Amino acid sequence: MIETPYLLFLGDAPDMLAAKVAIGIRDWRPDHAVGQISLPGCGADLGIAEMTLAEAKQAGAKTLVIGVANRGGVISAAWKELLIQALDMGYDIASGLHNLLKDEADLVAAAEKNGVSLHDVRIPSVDYPIANGKNRIGKRCLAVGTDCSVGKMYTALAMDAEMQERGMKSSFRATGQTGILITGEGVPLDAVIADFMAGAVEYLTPDNDEDHWDLIEGQGSLFHISYSGVTMALVHGGQPDALILCHEPTREHMRGLPGFDLPTLQELRDTALPLAQKSNPACQVVGISVNTQHLSEDEALTYLAGIEKEMDLPAVDPFRQGAARLVDALAAV
């Protein structure tokens, strides 16, 4: 078990998107976040207390969480001094990076010396089966995006919170490191061997009550050259009854790929839906989730109204406005 509360390590994150792990914990488990700690030149700020290791320890922090998701998932050499200091002070460290804590000899030695723990969230804990495509009881909703980091996890979490508030049967199904750190369980899907990814999603979303909804955390994008494979596994393994299209309208290009434009929402619908219907012919696109954080209130409302008219689907920013209309759309499936 990863002990809470956390001190969120932002390192030298170049921007807020690079700190999405920490942001997710701040937004969805604020009671777990004692404060943040960053290195010189950090371009991210969570708007919570900036603390030293000693100050956070005094405030009760037990685990230093690496809240950065950099390209390639690497533990930077620039972080090492602070990470070792944290271990020497009795902190556990938790990370969801591809570069595992357990593979860093100096961190392992410091942890053993101080009797503390290293938690690698991105290590599969189950021998997942190969997907079989068999129909499963219960209902499933998957968020798919025009790009990475457009709000797929937030959409699923917001919908789950709304459904819980209504007394509906639902579960948020985490498929990435941030979701796992928020909920305490899930599948680190991009660390699963490729042939078993769709099977891991089937394992994560088993038979359930007929009126129970699994809200599956989306990953990557079918249009992203780097990360389309994990999305495909979710589309087939998730066997979704409903898709939510997710978009961030101010992007100039795909995340990390300056030479690639984002697809339109129509392209996303027309690509994702036929693929989803291979595993569940009854699958429908039921709504649109738009990340409007970089738009003013008036700009956001105007954009959402235009998209809703164009696509003939409810379009909302579930973090800004709530997910009620998306849940209404699910209830009608």
Side-chain angles (χ1 to χ4, degrees):
M1 292 291 293
I2 301 175
E3 288 198 83
T4 59
Y6 303 145
L7 174 61
L8 302 178
F9 175 65
L10 304 182
D12 48 6
D15 54 31
M16 288 295 284
L17 269 180
K20 67 177 186 177
V21 175
I23 293 170
I25 294 170
R26 177 204 65 185
D27 288 345
W28 294 101
R29 291 293 184 271
D31 52 320
H32 288 180
V34 165
Q36 68 181 33
I37 185 168
S38 54
L39 296 175
C42 181
D45 184 351
L46 304 179
I48 60 177
E50 178 78 23
M51 294 183 170
T52 65
L53 291 171
E55 289 169 342
K57 196 72 175 174
Q58 183 66 30
K62 297 182 183 300
T63 302
L64 181 74
V65 172
I66 296 179
V68 187
N70 55 17
R71 188 169 175 83
V74 177
I75 296 173
S76 168
W79 304 349
K80 284 293 189 70
E81 182 179 353
L82 187 143
L83 297 181
I84 291 173
Q85 287 178 4
L87 294 168
D88 287 341
M89 292 178 63
Y91 281 91
D92 294 342
I93 296 180
S95 170
L97 296 173
H98 287 291
N99 181 180
L100 301 178
L101 296 168
K102 72 179 184 66
D103 291 336
E104 298 296 311
D106 49 357
L107 298 181
V108 172
E112 290 177 349
K113 180 184 74 172
N114 293 289
V116 294
S117 299
L118 301 175
H119 299 281
D120 284 305
V121 175
R122 230 185 195 125
I123 296 180
S125 58
V126 174
D127 291 328
Y128 298 113
I130 291 176
N132 58 38
K134 291 181 179 178
N135 184 57
R136 306 194 294 284
I137 301 169
K139 296 184 177 182
R140 292 156 193 86
C141 175
L142 173 65
V144 292
T146 53
D147 194 8
C148 303
S149 304
V150 293
K152 298 180 292 293
M153 182 187 73
Y154 274 59
T155 299
L157 282 164
M159 293 177 71
D160 180 50
E162 174 69 20
M163 295 174 88
Q164 296 288 335
E165 182 73 18
R166 296 186 188 191
M168 299 172 69
K169 298 176 184 177
S170 68
S171 300
F172 170 72
R173 301 300 190 183
T175 61
Q177 74 272 29
T178 308
I180 293 171
L181 284 165
I182 289 170
T183 63
E185 60 183 0
V187 171
L189 192 58
D190 60 7
V192 176
I193 294 172
D195 280 357
F196 300 92
M197 286 196 298
V201 182
E202 290 185 349
Y203 176 92
L204 182 67
T205 58
D207 285 324
N208 215 313
D209 294 342
E210 290 187 359
D211 58 347
H212 178 279
W213 279 96
D214 278 338
L215 290 310
I216 306 171
E217 179 188 2
Q219 298 291 338
S221 170
L222 290 170
F223 296 85
H224 200 290
I225 297 301
S226 305
Y227 307 121
S228 57
V230 69
T231 316
M232 191 70 257
L234 284 159
V235 169
H236 280 167
Q239 201 178 95
D241 297 273
L243 296 177
I244 302 291
L245 309 182
C246 300
H247 183 56
E248 203 278 77
T250 68
R251 298 274 174 93
E252 296 181 358
H253 55 76
M254 299 292 280
R255 174 83 169 149
L257 297 175
F260 292 84
D261 295 332
L262 269 71
T264 64
L265 283 163
Q266 292 90 338
E267 288 177 300
L268 176 59
R269 176 198 61 201
D270 294 344
T271 301
L273 183 58
L275 291 171
Q277 288 175 336
K278 291 295 182 183
S279 60
N280 183 353
C283 184
Q284 307 172 40
V285 176
V286 301
I288 299 170
S289 171
V290 182
N291 179 348
T292 65
Q293 64 176 318
H294 299 303
L295 300 178
S296 70
E297 184 70 18
D298 287 344
E299 289 171 336
L301 291 174
T302 299
Y303 184 84
L304 289 166
I307 288 294
E308 186 160 323
K309 182 177 180 181
E310 183 178 353
M311 300 289 289
D312 194 27
L313 289 167
V316 302
D317 182 330
F319 192 68
R320 196 171 188 169
Q321 302 171 315
R325 295 183 66 216
L326 297 179
V327 172
D328 289 343
L330 276 195
V333 171

